[in-house]
Each structure stands twice: as structure tokens, then as C-alpha cells.
Amino acid sequence: QVQLVESGGGLVQAGESLRLSCAASGRTFSNLIMGWFRQAPGKEREFVGAITWDGVNAYYSDSVKGRFTISRDNAKKTVYLSMISLKPEDTAVYYCASEIPTELYVHTTPKMYDIWGQGTQVTVSS
């Protein structure tokens, strides 16, 4: 079993940068696809991006592509979400999640992720 704890959220101005961290505990982190999602008030949880177990490939939603970067350090059991050029519409609670271990490909739907962190708030002011 993996437990996830996000950190690094905060209040920033539009155009600024932020890096979120997701620390995992448990034995099976290094073979899991890890994803980031976000949820704004009144909206459904939205896929932000995901990274393969080896960190070689990362996938992003169109809304963040070119501005957000996902990376991971399996030795530290941590996955990161680096965000630049933040916009007010990026304001949301950000969650990291681990994909169901039996899945071999990256999925963009929340139901394919079975372990979630508690979330960290990111607020971007205009």
C-alpha cells in the first residue's frame, strides 16, 4: 500500500511559478504510474498530467502543456509538479494519485487511480 502527501501549494500572482511535491510511503512506489489532478470549486476533478514508473514519459492535459512539468525521484519516493506562467484559471486543489498497479498505460480518468493524497491548495491571483 502507498500513502501520498502533497505539499508546496500556496498563493501566487499570475505569471509566477510554483513546485508541488508528493511524498509517498510504502514499498511499491517505484513501479507505479503517478498522476496529478486538480479540482476547482464547483468543477469536476480534472487530469493535469501523469508520469510513467521510470520517469521516461510524461503526459499532460492541453490546458497545462508547455507550462507544467512532472518529474519523479524514485529513490526519494517523490513526484513533482513544476508549474510556470501560472494563470488564475489554474487555481484549484491539486492532488497526486497512484494509478491502479495492474494498469500498464497512463490513464486520464480519476477512477483509474486508487490511492490519493489529501490535496494542496494553489491559488493564483490576477
Side-chain angles (χ1 to χ4, degrees):
Q1 189 80 344
V2 173
Q3 292 81 43
L4 305 172
V5 178
E6 302 96 335
S7 62
L11 172 63
V12 297
Q13 293 188 336
E16 293 185 339
S17 303
L18 209 57
R19 189 176 82 157
L20 307 182
S21 299
C22 173
S25 59
R27 297 180 299 171
T28 60
F29 174 81
S30 60
N31 64 346
L32 296 173
I33 292 170
M34 298 297 296
W36 284 96
F37 291 78
R38 65 187 182 185
Q39 189 165 19
K43 295 188 177 181
E44 294 187 352
R45 194 162 295 190
E46 171 191 23
F47 174 78
V48 172
I51 189 166
T52 54
W53 67 272
D54 55 3
V56 171
N57 294 299
Y59 305 87
Y60 304 93
S61 66
D62 288 342
S63 61
V64 306
K65 196 174 296 182
R67 299 187 299 120
F68 290 13
T69 303
I70 299 174
S71 59
R72 67 190 295 164
D73 185 334
N74 284 343
K76 295 182 178 179
K77 295 185 177 180
T78 303
V79 63
Y80 303 97
L81 178 65
S82 298
M83 306 180 290
I84 65 170
S85 302
L86 282 162
K87 305 174 182 180
E89 51 263 44
D90 294 319
T91 295
V93 177
Y94 283 71
Y95 300 90
C96 69
S98 61
E99 198 172 277
I100 296 171
T102 54
E103 293 295 320
L104 301 179
Y105 303 101
V106 169
H107 293 277
T108 62
T109 56
K111 67 179 182 181
M112 298 306 293
Y113 293 76
D114 60 345
I115 306 295
W116 292 80
Q118 83 289 350
T120 185
Q121 176 71 46
V122 172
T123 303
V124 184
S125 64
S126 58

